[in-house]
Amino acid sequence: MNSKFPIFVKKLDCLNFTDYYGLNSPGLTCYLNSVLQVLFMTVDFREAIERSCSDDPTPIDLHLRRLFEDLSKSTTKTHSVIEKLGITDVYEQRDAAEYFEKILHLTSPGASKIFKGELNHITRCLHCKKSNDSRSFFWMLPLVVEASDHHAYSVKQGLKTFFKRETVSEDNRMYCHQCNQKREAEITCEMTRNPKILTLLLKRFRFDYKQKCFVKLHCEVEAPQTLKFETCIYDLYALVNHYGNLTGGHYTAEIKSFETGEWYNFNDDVVNMHKPLFGKNNTFRSRSAYLLMYKQRRTCSESSDEDKLEAQCAHSDVAAEGRSCPVKVWSPQGHLKTIPVRANATVQELEERAAMELPEIQGQSVQVTSNGQTLEKSKQLFQCVLPSDTIQLVLKVRGG
Ligand SMILES: [Zn+2]
């Protein structure tokens, strides 16, 4: 075919290579390269990093911004990010999931929140029926892969198991503060905040008690193209593969471009176009998939609320100071207002900002409360509440 124009055909093939560029590895840092490519190819994250104007020396934003700028033009080195992450031995094999989390921890909240979700573990005493909430955030949901000779491990089923109601009894009973003793309890887990990007970690590494060491499960995993969480629909757009075993392995990433709509394989400094991951049945099977990234569709109602908050925050003068978070505040008169505060603001600072934004409380003495608890003025706000919590301002009773 086309033997008349071999050079021309060759050139056409080469064009594919220039859509995206690879990352050089100064040693064995494929674990880092694969997650950096995922972050670069995540449009919301890339844009948030471009917008980020943090003066705070801690966040990794500046290093990522320079890396992304270079990566959009040519094959790039990762030295500055490697240094920022404190990696001293570039020949040591590391875990891609660990470094994905590490980067997000070091990124300013405005960018990292794209990957941040929240879970609520509800423990209900089976004796007094009192339930307790325990909220925590997550970057990824870990799924315990179970190997079987007969069928592939189903990601859909794994998620069902993750959110399954559990009853604890006997030695595992939970202490109930109402009953003042250990009781049988029911534990449910729910997602109270759906992240824009949902990352699933397929736990393929497991301690083998016979061999007395960690082993890797090479079993086949079946992942769906779309996932549904109540009103939210997610589409798979990226995955990080791990080949080999614990001591010697290799990471690559397969990512669907939001710019071209095509799939690409990122293998350190080499980038190739990849055939679409999904066939007719909307699932794919893999023995190497390790991290799966799903992107929330625009139609989800929750994300549009988030976007509104973000837009309000971006236009406020506080945002110009660097890291800031919008918090929802109810005035004593029942008016809801979104007020951006610094990420490390104290409760006192929120109160002062609220007085500026809510004329109705000016000159009044108020208490800052959340979930019925009064927050101490000297405390850091986000050590007492989550950014997603609603704050209530209560008028202080005179003489009280
Ligand atoms: Zn109880």
Side-chain angles (χ1 to χ4, degrees), residues 73-135:
K73 290 176 229 142
S74 63
T75 304
T76 302
K77 290 186 170 79
T78 53
H79 286 91
S80 134
V81 176
I82 285 175
E83 201 177 301
K84 182 74 189 167
L85 290 169
I87 300 165
T88 46
D89 183 357
V90 290
Y91 291 96
E92 196 186 336
Q93 285 272 339
R94 307 281 184 109
D95 180 7
E98 186 191 328
Y99 276 82
F100 178 67
E101 285 197 329
K102 234 176 206 178
I103 293 170
L104 291 176
H105 268 299
L106 288 172
T107 307
S108 62
S112 64
K113 71 173 179 196
I114 291 157
F115 291 89
K116 202 171 191 172
E118 186 194 66
L119 293 176
N120 186 16
H121 287 90
I122 308 156
T123 312
R124 185 165 164 268
C125 170
L126 289 179
H127 183 80
C128 71
K129 311 291 180 206
K130 188 177 168 21
S131 48
N132 255 314
D133 288 359
S134 169
R135 287 167 191 253

Side-chain angles (χ1 to χ4, degrees), residues 125-130 176-181 183:
C125 170
L126 289 179
H127 183 80
C128 71
K129 311 291 180 206
K130 188 177 168 21
C176 173
H177 288 278
Q178 185 91 348
C179 301
N180 246 329
Q181 57 175 290
R183 292 288 195 196

Side-chain angles (χ1 to χ4, degrees), residues 10 31 72 101 154 368:
K10 209 176 168 193
Y31 60 91
S72 61
E101 285 197 329
S154 158
V368 180

